[in-house]
Coordinates of all heavy atoms in Angstrom, one line a residue:
P584 N -15.9 -20.8 -28.7 CA -16.1 -21.8 -27.6 C -15.4 -23.1 -27.9 O -15.0 -23.4 -29.1 CB -17.6 -22.0 -27.7 CG -18.0 -21.6 -29.0 CD -17.1 -20.5 -29.4
L585 N -15.1 -23.9 -26.9 CA -14.3 -25.1 -27.1 C -14.9 -26.1 -28.0 O -14.3 -26.9 -28.6 CB -14.0 -25.7 -25.7 CG -13.3 -24.9 -24.7 CD1 -13.3 -25.5 -23.3 CD2 -11.9 -24.6 -25.2
T586 N -16.3 -26.1 -28.0 CA -17.0 -27.2 -28.8 C -16.7 -27.1 -30.3 O -17.0 -28.0 -31.0 CB -18.5 -27.1 -28.6 OG1 -18.9 -25.7 -28.6 CG2 -18.8 -27.7 -27.2
I587 N -16.0 -26.0 -30.8 CA -15.8 -26.0 -32.2 C -14.4 -26.8 -32.5 O -14.1 -27.1 -33.6 CB -15.5 -24.6 -32.8 CG1 -14.3 -24.0 -32.3 CG2 -16.7 -23.7 -32.5 CD1 -13.6 -23.2 -33.4
I588 N -13.7 -27.3 -31.4 CA -12.6 -28.1 -31.6 C -13.0 -29.6 -31.8 O -13.8 -30.1 -30.9 CB -11.6 -28.0 -30.3 CG1 -11.1 -26.5 -30.2 CG2 -10.5 -28.9 -30.4 CD1 -10.5 -26.2 -28.9
K589 N -12.4 -30.2 -32.8 CA -12.7 -31.6 -33.1 C -12.3 -32.4 -31.9 O -11.1 -32.3 -31.4 CB -12.0 -32.0 -34.3 CG -12.4 -33.3 -34.8 CD -11.6 -33.7 -36.2 CE -11.9 -35.2 -36.5 NZ -10.8 -35.8 -37.0
G590 N -13.2 -33.2 -31.3 CA -12.8 -34.1 -30.2 C -13.3 -33.5 -28.9 O -13.2 -34.1 -27.8
I591 N -13.8 -32.2 -28.8 CA -14.4 -31.7 -27.6 C -15.9 -31.6 -27.8 O -16.4 -30.7 -28.4 CB -13.8 -30.3 -27.2 CG1 -12.2 -30.5 -27.0 CG2 -14.5 -29.7 -26.0 CD1 -11.6 -29.3 -26.4
G592 N -16.6 -32.5 -27.1 CA -18.1 -32.4 -27.1 C -18.5 -31.7 -25.9 O -17.7 -31.3 -25.0
P593 N -19.9 -31.6 -25.7 CA -20.5 -30.8 -24.5 C -20.0 -31.4 -23.2 O -19.8 -30.7 -22.2 CB -22.0 -31.1 -24.7 CG -22.2 -31.5 -26.1 CD -21.0 -32.1 -26.6
K594 N -19.7 -32.7 -23.1 CA -19.3 -33.3 -21.8 C -17.9 -32.9 -21.4 O -17.7 -32.4 -20.3 CB -19.4 -34.8 -22.0 CG -19.6 -35.6 -20.7 CD -19.9 -37.1 -20.8 CE -19.4 -37.8 -19.6 NZ -19.3 -39.3 -19.9
I595 N -17.0 -32.9 -22.3 CA -15.6 -32.5 -22.0 C -15.6 -31.0 -21.8 O -14.9 -30.5 -20.9 CB -14.6 -32.9 -23.2 CG1 -14.5 -34.4 -23.3 CG2 -13.2 -32.3 -23.0 CD1 -13.5 -34.9 -24.4
A596 N -16.4 -30.2 -22.6 CA -16.5 -28.8 -22.4 C -16.9 -28.4 -21.0 O -16.4 -27.5 -20.4 CB -17.4 -28.2 -23.5
K597 N -17.8 -29.2 -20.5 CA -18.4 -29.0 -19.2 C -17.3 -29.2 -18.1 O -17.1 -28.4 -17.2 CB -19.6 -29.9 -18.9 CG -20.6 -29.2 -18.0 CD -21.8 -30.0 -17.9 CE -22.7 -29.3 -16.8 NZ -23.9 -29.0 -17.1
S598 N -16.5 -30.3 -18.3 CA -15.4 -30.6 -17.3 C -14.4 -29.5 -17.4 O -13.9 -29.1 -16.3 CB -14.7 -31.9 -17.7 OG -15.6 -33.0 -17.6
L599 N -14.1 -29.0 -18.6 CA -13.1 -27.9 -18.7 C -13.6 -26.6 -18.1 O -12.9 -25.8 -17.5 CB -12.7 -27.7 -20.1 CG -11.8 -28.8 -20.7 CD1 -11.7 -28.7 -22.2 CD2 -10.4 -28.7 -20.1
I607 N -11.0 -21.1 -26.6 CA -9.7 -21.6 -27.1 C -8.6 -20.9 -26.4 O -7.6 -21.5 -26.1 CB -9.7 -21.4 -28.6 CG1 -10.7 -22.3 -29.3 CG2 -8.3 -21.7 -29.2 CD1 -10.9 -22.1 -30.8
L610 N -7.9 -22.4 -23.1 CA -7.2 -23.6 -23.2 C -5.7 -23.5 -23.5 O -4.9 -24.3 -23.0 CB -7.9 -24.5 -24.3 CG -7.6 -26.0 -24.3 CD1 -7.9 -26.6 -22.9 CD2 -8.6 -26.7 -25.3
E716 N 1.2 -42.5 -35.1 CA 0.6 -41.2 -34.6 C 0.8 -41.0 -33.1 O 1.3 -40.1 -32.6 CB -0.8 -41.1 -35.0 CG -1.4 -39.7 -34.8 CD -2.9 -39.6 -34.7 OE1 -3.6 -40.6 -35.2 OE2 -3.4 -38.5 -34.3
V732 N -8.4 -33.7 -16.0 CA -9.7 -33.2 -16.4 C -10.7 -34.3 -16.3 O -10.5 -35.4 -16.9 CB -9.7 -32.6 -17.8 CG1 -11.0 -32.2 -18.3 CG2 -8.6 -31.5 -18.0
E733 N -11.8 -34.0 -15.5 CA -12.8 -35.0 -15.2 C -13.3 -35.7 -16.5 O -13.7 -35.0 -17.4 CB -13.9 -34.4 -14.5 CG -14.8 -35.3 -13.8 CD -16.0 -34.5 -13.2 OE1 -15.7 -33.4 -12.6 OE2 -17.1 -34.9 -13.3
G734 N -13.2 -37.1 -16.6 CA -13.8 -37.8 -17.7 C -12.9 -37.9 -18.9 O -13.4 -38.3 -20.0
V735 N -11.7 -37.4 -18.8 CA -10.8 -37.4 -20.0 C -9.5 -38.1 -19.6 O -8.8 -37.7 -18.6 CB -10.5 -36.0 -20.5 CG1 -9.8 -36.0 -21.9 CG2 -11.7 -35.2 -20.6
S736 N -9.0 -39.1 -20.4 CA -7.7 -39.7 -20.1 C -6.6 -38.7 -20.4 O -6.7 -37.9 -21.3 CB -7.6 -41.0 -20.8 OG -7.2 -40.7 -22.2
D737 N -5.4 -38.9 -19.7 CA -4.3 -38.0 -20.0 C -3.9 -38.1 -21.4 O -3.6 -37.1 -22.0 CB -3.1 -38.5 -19.1 CG -3.4 -38.3 -17.6 OD1 -4.4 -37.7 -17.3 OD2 -2.6 -38.7 -16.8
K738 N -3.9 -39.3 -22.0 CA -3.4 -39.5 -23.3 C -4.3 -38.8 -24.3 O -3.8 -38.1 -25.2 CB -3.4 -41.0 -23.7 CG -2.2 -41.4 -24.6 CD -2.3 -42.8 -25.1 CE -2.3 -43.9 -23.9 NZ -2.3 -45.3 -24.5
Y739 N -5.6 -38.9 -24.1 CA -6.5 -38.2 -25.0 C -6.4 -36.7 -24.9 O -6.4 -36.0 -25.9 CB -8.0 -38.7 -24.7 CG -9.0 -38.1 -25.7 CD1 -9.1 -38.6 -27.0 CD2 -9.9 -37.1 -25.3 CE1 -10.0 -38.1 -27.9 CE2 -10.8 -36.6 -26.2 CZ -10.9 -37.1 -27.5 OH -11.7 -36.6 -28.4
F740 N -6.2 -36.3 -23.7 CA -6.1 -34.8 -23.4 C -4.9 -34.3 -24.1 O -4.9 -33.2 -24.7 CB -6.2 -34.5 -22.0 CG -6.4 -33.0 -21.7 CD1 -7.5 -32.4 -22.0 CD2 -5.3 -32.2 -21.2 CE1 -7.7 -31.0 -21.8 CE2 -5.4 -30.9 -21.0 CZ -6.7 -30.3 -21.4
R741 N -3.8 -35.0 -24.0 CA -2.6 -34.5 -24.6 C -2.8 -34.4 -26.2 O -2.3 -33.4 -26.8 CB -1.4 -35.5 -24.4 CG -0.4 -35.0 -23.4 CD 0.9 -35.8 -23.4 NE 0.7 -37.1 -23.1 CZ 0.6 -37.6 -21.8 NH1 0.7 -36.8 -20.8 NH2 0.5 -38.9 -21.6
K742 N -3.5 -35.4 -26.7 CA -3.7 -35.4 -28.2 C -4.5 -34.1 -28.5 O -4.2 -33.4 -29.5 CB -4.5 -36.6 -28.5 CG -4.7 -36.8 -30.0 CD -5.4 -38.1 -30.3 CE -5.9 -38.1 -31.7 NZ -6.8 -39.3 -32.0
L743 N -5.5 -33.8 -27.7 CA -6.4 -32.6 -27.9 C -5.5 -31.4 -27.9 O -5.6 -30.5 -28.7 CB -7.4 -32.4 -26.8 CG -8.7 -33.2 -27.1 CD1 -9.6 -33.0 -25.8 CD2 -9.4 -32.8 -28.3
M744 N -4.6 -31.3 -26.8 CA -3.8 -30.1 -26.6 C -2.9 -29.9 -27.8 O -2.6 -28.8 -28.2 CB -3.1 -30.2 -25.3 CG -3.9 -29.9 -24.0 SD -4.9 -28.4 -24.1 CE -3.6 -27.2 -24.2
F745 N -2.3 -31.0 -28.2 CA -1.4 -31.0 -29.3 C -2.0 -30.3 -30.6 O -1.5 -29.4 -31.2 CB -0.9 -32.4 -29.7 CG 0.3 -32.4 -30.7 CD1 1.6 -31.9 -30.3 CD2 0.1 -32.7 -32.0 CE1 2.6 -31.9 -31.2 CE2 1.1 -32.8 -33.0 CZ 2.4 -32.3 -32.6
Q746 N -3.3 -30.8 -30.8 CA -4.1 -30.3 -32.0 C -4.4 -28.8 -31.8 O -4.2 -28.0 -32.7 CB -5.4 -31.1 -32.0 CG -6.4 -30.6 -33.0 CD -7.8 -31.4 -32.6 OE1 -7.7 -32.4 -32.1 NE2 -8.8 -30.7 -32.9
V747 N -4.7 -28.4 -30.5 CA -5.1 -27.0 -30.2 C -3.9 -26.1 -30.4 O -3.9 -25.0 -31.0 CB -5.7 -26.9 -28.8 CG1 -5.8 -25.4 -28.4 CG2 -7.1 -27.6 -28.8
T750 N -2.8 -25.7 -34.0 CA -3.8 -25.0 -34.9 C -3.8 -23.5 -34.4 O -3.9 -22.6 -35.3 CB -5.1 -25.6 -34.8 OG1 -5.0 -27.0 -34.9 CG2 -6.0 -25.1 -35.9
Y751 N -3.8 -23.3 -33.1 CA -4.3 -21.9 -32.7 C -3.2 -21.0 -32.0 O -3.4 -19.9 -31.9 CB -5.5 -22.0 -31.7 CG -6.7 -22.6 -32.3 CD1 -7.1 -24.0 -32.1 CD2 -7.5 -21.9 -33.2 CE1 -8.2 -24.5 -32.7 CE2 -8.6 -22.4 -33.8 CZ -9.0 -23.7 -33.6 OH -10.1 -24.2 -34.2

Side-chain angles (χ1 to χ4, degrees):
L585 298 173
T586 43
I587 72 140
I588 297 166
K589 191 178 167 217
I591 297 188
K594 204 170 156 196
I595 294 180
K597 212 174 172 121
S598 296
L599 286 165
I607 293 173
L610 197 51
E716 189 197 346
V732 176
E733 199 184 316
V735 189
S736 75
D737 293 352
K738 213 186 304 183
Y739 185 71
F740 189 69
R741 250 194 304 277
K742 186 178 163 186
L743 275 179
M744 285 307 298
F745 189 73
Q746 171 196 333
V747 169
T750 315
Y751 295 105

